Amino acid sequence: MIWVIASIVIVVVIASGVVQRRANRVALRAVRRSHSRLDRFKLTKKAFIRQTLLADETIARAVKEHAAENAVDEAATWKRVDGYIDEIVPFFNILTYYKIGLVVSRVLLNFFYKVSAEHAAGSSAVTVPRDAIVIYLMNHRSNADYVLVGYVLSGRVAISYAVGEWARTFPLEYIFKSFGAYFIRRKYREKLYHTVLEQYVQLITRNGVTQGIFLEGGLSRDGKLGAAKIGLLDYVLGVARDPAMRDRLYVVPVAINYDRVLEDRSLLRELDAREGGRRPALHVQLGEVLRYVWWNMARLVARRWKRYGRAAVVVGDPFALGPWFDREDRETGGLFGLERTDRLARVQLLSDSVLERIAAIIPVTPVSLACAAIQSFDGDFISHQHLLERMSEMRDVLTELNARVIHREGSVEEIFDRAWRMLRMRRMLVRTGAGYSVLAGNRPLVSYYANSISHLLGPFAEGVRQRDQLPALAAGTVIIP
């Protein structure tokens, strides 16, 4: 009996090894076909990373301080650290990422959107040194951003994201970790936790892992670009205490925009709740989700399904951080010799400058352009001709500003036709005679999408308002200089 059991175990072990080798070969072929750069450290076993962090002197000092300040046993504190490591550290799987993740993301994204990606310089031949450590800094419009940017850049690199608590539910947690994402507690202030997180982020940075960071720190609730946050970026920059790392650090700004953000109404409700409004009851929200699923399933069955317009990504020009470090050292006598608050103020200025670069390349989608034009009129009724004229004026201004207007959309009439399908479906705009009326209940949605490009059109929109308020001159009136 013992020999039978032993034989079965040996067969299972051999078979599992064969399956694993076969899976690895399939995964590596997928990487070669995608022409993507794979950071080798992503393949490091989680056990090795755990041992490395547990042996880290900075974490050891933080454990002693935490134990002393909270009057707890050091062994219990180390156990707490081990729990944080298990929570944060992912287990990247090549097969999951390249053979499952990219296929699923391609199907889902192209099912919901017409995806477009371009480089701000107008060419995909934007290169950085082979040993560069690249940080992609992005604006945050939707939770779909993780999938969208990963899909767009899949032919270049596999990005590691920092993912918030919302994804720590089964099966999302397993999926994100197998894609190389690491989890963070965004509003958790414990010093010990942040020491562990900082040391992990710096460990993967020193080992060349390409990271993606949403610079605003969270989703935009009103559609506008939020203030730049510095937490994770400051952790990454910490590796530059080693002079050899400075010239390897590069930042790539990435701008994202959609014709429809899947969570737009939920985000507006959160904004309203923050301003004193009342959230709908949980059963009301659940009912909305079920109606949404039912309605779209019915459209699929009836073959009336239409995509939600465009999901657009613009990849900016990479720039090296080495010159920034050199300049800061000259001005301060040593950036990392400053008090923490002074150093963070310098990092904040860097973050703000990157956000300005992102703002300058935000793609202008048909819905955002149409909503910006609608928003520029004070009344709730807009004639069709006036709306097209305003959109044309805005597009011309955006082109002069070198904004990323989606040029493949064609004429203004064609752009509006694409936007109209979404505006009509969302009940944001209804046809009334020779023009359109904005439904009062959906005015916040119009503002939400207009706000995505408001920073590009602010002075223009104000100038148009002032022009339209001037009284029209009577025929034959002579203007005396």
Side-chain angles (χ1 to χ4, degrees):
M1 185 64 179
I2 294 175
W3 288 106
V4 173
I5 295 174
S7 300
I8 293 173
V9 170
I10 291 171
V11 170
V12 169
V13 170
I14 293 173
S16 63
V18 171
V19 170
Q20 182 64 45
R21 286 194 296 273
R22 171 64 179 169
N24 287 340
R25 285 197 296 270
V26 170
L28 289 173
R29 281 200 298 269
V31 175
R32 294 190 192 101
R33 280 197 298 270
S34 70
H35 304 291
S36 178
R37 188 185 79 180
L38 180 61
D39 304 320
R40 290 186 177 275
F41 193 76
K42 279 179 175 287
L43 305 178
T44 303
K45 297 294 184 182
K46 187 173 180 178
F48 176 80
I49 296 176
R50 173 185 272 109
Q51 292 173 3
T52 302
L53 292 174
L54 291 175
D56 189 279
E57 294 181 2
T58 302
I59 293 178
R61 286 195 299 271
V63 166
K64 291 182 180 295
E65 290 176 7
H66 182 87
E69 291 173 2
N70 295 276
V72 295
D73 184 61
E74 282 193 21
T77 306
W78 276 112
K79 188 175 181 180
R80 190 182 188 92
V81 168
D82 193 59
Y84 289 151
I85 293 172
D86 185 64
E87 175 186 306
I88 294 169
V89 179
F91 45 89
F92 182 78
N93 185 292
I94 304 179
L95 188 62
T96 302
Y97 190 93
Y98 285 98
K99 289 297 288 183
I100 300 174
L102 291 183
V103 172
V104 172
S105 63
R106 182 186 302 113
V107 171
L108 287 177
L109 285 170
N110 287 286
F111 178 76
F112 284 104
Y113 297 106
K114 182 177 182 180
V115 178
S116 65
E118 59 181 304
H119 290 262
S123 170
S124 59
V126 179
T127 59
V128 294
R130 288 188 62 84
D131 67 340
I133 301 169
V134 182
I135 309 109
Y136 288 88
L137 298 182
M138 303 163 277
N139 66 308
H140 202 4
R141 294 283 288 167
S142 168
N143 285 317
D145 296 346
Y146 296 95
V147 181
L148 177 63
V149 177
Y151 169 65
V152 165
L153 296 176
S154 61
R156 300 177 61 184
V157 71
I159 295 182
S160 288
Y161 289 110
V163 183
E165 299 93 326
W166 64 271
R168 291 201 63 217
T169 55
F170 183 83
L172 290 180
E173 181 173 10
Y174 180 85
I175 293 171
F176 275 105
K177 282 196 170 184
S178 66
F179 287 174
Y182 57 94
F183 287 86
I184 60 173
R185 303 184 185 186
R186 295 195 184 277
K187 297 182 180 179
Y188 193 62
R189 302 303 179 194
E190 184 189 83
K191 184 178 178 181
L192 178 63
Y193 168 79
H194 282 278
T195 300
V196 175
L197 177 61
E198 179 177 11
Q199 295 309 114
Y200 170 72
V201 170
Q202 292 184 359
L203 174 65
I204 63 175
T205 303
R206 282 193 297 271
N207 284 279
V209 173
T210 303
Q211 298 178 62
I213 299 175
F214 294 105
L215 201 52
E216 299 161 284
L219 291 171
S220 171
R221 265 61 183 178
D222 59 4
K224 297 179 181 179
L225 284 172
K229 302 293 175 36
I230 61 173
L232 279 176
L233 181 59
D234 179 58
Y235 291 169
V236 171
L237 297 180
V239 302
R241 289 182 172 88
D242 177 1
M245 302 297 298
R246 295 189 170 193
D247 291 334
R248 294 180 60 193
L249 290 169
Y250 280 74
V251 164
V252 179
V254 178
I256 307 166
N257 207 358
Y258 298 85
D259 271 331
R260 178 176 179 179
V261 173
L262 298 177
E263 314 94 320
D264 52 13
R265 293 188 189 276
S266 297
L267 294 171
L268 287 170
R269 275 199 295 263
E270 288 183 26
L271 180 65
D272 186 57
R274 290 179 182 181
E275 296 175 350
R278 179 179 296 179
R279 285 176 180 268
L282 186 60
H283 70 276
V284 174
Q285 297 182 48
L286 179 60
E288 290 179 354
V289 172
L290 292 175
R291 280 195 298 273
Y292 171 82
V293 173
W294 167 257
W295 172 246
N296 284 287
M297 289 298 294
R299 291 170 63 205
L300 277 172
V301 171
R303 297 186 178 182
R304 296 183 61 187
W305 171 262
K306 293 187 183 298
R307 289 189 290 187
Y308 292 157
R310 190 175 290 279
V313 177
V314 176
V315 181
D317 296 330
F319 64 94
L321 287 177
W324 179 79
F325 283 115
D326 293 340
R327 185 174 64 253
E328 292 298 317
D329 283 347
R330 286 195 302 270
E331 294 179 359
T332 64
L335 178 65
F336 294 105
L338 296 175
E339 293 291 333
R340 184 172 184 274
T341 53
D342 295 331
R343 177 173 56 79
L344 291 181
R346 298 272 177 168
V347 176
Q348 183 68 62
L349 292 175
L350 172 65
S351 298
D352 292 342
S353 69
V354 176
L355 193 64
E356 289 175 2
R357 293 181 184 230
I358 294 171
I361 59 173
I362 288 286
V364 181
T365 65
V367 168
S368 62
L369 181 61
C371 286
I374 294 167
Q375 191 83 336
S376 70
F377 291 97
D378 291 326
D380 287 332
F381 175 81
I382 310 162
S383 74
H384 177 76
Q385 188 60 35
H386 286 163
L387 182 54
L388 291 184
E389 288 173 358
R390 185 61 50 83
M391 288 177 64
S392 179
E393 290 175 340
M394 286 183 166
R395 188 174 68 158
D396 291 343
V397 170
L398 289 168
T399 302
E400 290 176 8
L401 291 172
N402 200 28
R404 309 311 299 180
V405 181
I406 303 299
H407 56 273
R408 291 180 293 275
E409 298 292 351
S411 66
V412 170
E413 289 81 2
E414 291 172 318
I415 292 174
F416 178 73
D417 285 343
R418 290 177 173 84
W420 167 242
R421 285 197 289 267
M422 183 57 58
L423 297 172
R424 179 179 56 191
M425 185 177 75
R426 306 295 308 282
R427 303 283 295 171
M428 296 160 69
L429 212 63
V430 293
R431 192 74 189 240
T432 308
Y436 308 92
S437 294
V438 182
L439 296 182
N442 284 330
R443 171 65 76 171
L445 269 181
V446 173
S447 299
Y448 175 85
Y449 287 98
N451 285 343
S452 67
I453 60 171
S454 61
H455 59 283
L456 297 171
L457 286 167
F460 169 80
E462 184 58 34
V464 167
R465 276 202 185 87
Q466 292 178 7
R467 181 198 69 187
D468 290 349
Q469 288 172 358
L470 294 176
L473 293 176
T477 301
V478 177
I479 301 177
I480 301 175

